[in-house]
Amino acid sequence: MKSHVLTKALFQWMTALALVVSGAVWAANGVDLNQSPEVSGTPEGSVRMPKQQERMALNYVNQPPMIPHSVDGYQVTTNINRCLQCHGVEHYRTTGAPRISPTHFMDADGKVLSNVAPRRYFCLQCHVPQTDAAPIVENTFSPSKGFGN
């Protein structure tokens, strides 16, 4: 039991440290977190998020699909989830949006629920809008074989 508590405390400490380090990296690279992502001009460092675009190829197995449209102003709170107004099981047929995955209705134990599982309710934790932004930090990532462009 004690090892579980220590493991949990270590995980929480490492998560907090990762958040602090990532914030420092963003600050060092001059990322303005207050900048609206709906920038249409061409100033250096601006990000263009089109209203709608083709879905991008996935880069690895089980990658959450990226969002091919702007989510500026979308509300995703404990009471409202704007994403489900188009992607929910009651609406996707009339909106033409992809249906939410059945995996989003399973709890941590694999039990199927009648509504979206709480751990899958906040879509923007995993699904991010596509953009033409350059990487914040240079890297050598390449998609898994058979994925990506």
Side-chain angles (χ1 to χ4, degrees):
M1 184 68 176
K2 277 189 174 183
S3 66
H4 175 68
V5 172
L6 289 174
T7 303
K8 184 176 180 180
L10 180 62
F11 175 76
Q12 290 172 339
W13 182 85
M14 290 178 70
T15 302
L17 180 63
L19 289 171
V20 169
V21 169
S22 65
V25 169
W26 282 8
N29 284 293
V31 175
D32 182 1
L33 298 178
N34 295 316
Q35 179 181 356
S36 170
E38 201 71 39
V39 175
S40 59
T42 58
E44 189 67 33
S46 68
V47 175
R48 187 182 67 79
M49 292 182 65
K51 294 283 186 197
Q52 183 71 33
Q53 59 185 338
E54 293 297 316
R55 287 198 267 171
M56 294 176 119
L58 301 180
N59 292 307
Y60 55 89
V61 176
N62 295 325
Q63 174 187 347
M66 289 186 279
I67 304 167
H69 58 80
S70 174
V71 294
D72 192 33
Y74 275 38
Q75 262 194 310
V76 180
T77 67
T78 54
N79 298 322
I80 297 171
N81 184 326
R82 172 64 179 87
C83 302
L84 295 177
Q85 291 178 6
C86 293
H87 297 277
V89 293
E90 304 87 18
H91 307 288
Y92 79 96
R93 286 187 180 105
T94 57
T95 63
R99 181 182 51 84
I100 186 172
S101 169
T103 60
H104 289 56
F105 292 88
M106 293 181 200
D107 68 9
D109 299 322
K111 180 182 173 197
V112 177
L113 307 173
S114 60
N115 290 314
V116 175
R119 67 188 190 126
R120 299 286 187 108
Y121 181 81
F122 294 96
C123 310
L124 300 175
Q125 289 181 136
C126 299
H127 301 278
V128 297
Q130 297 175 170
T131 181
D132 63 355
I136 294 173
V137 178
E138 291 298 320
N139 66 74
T140 59
F141 174 82
S142 61
S144 296
K145 186 174 181 174
F147 288 86
N149 297 338

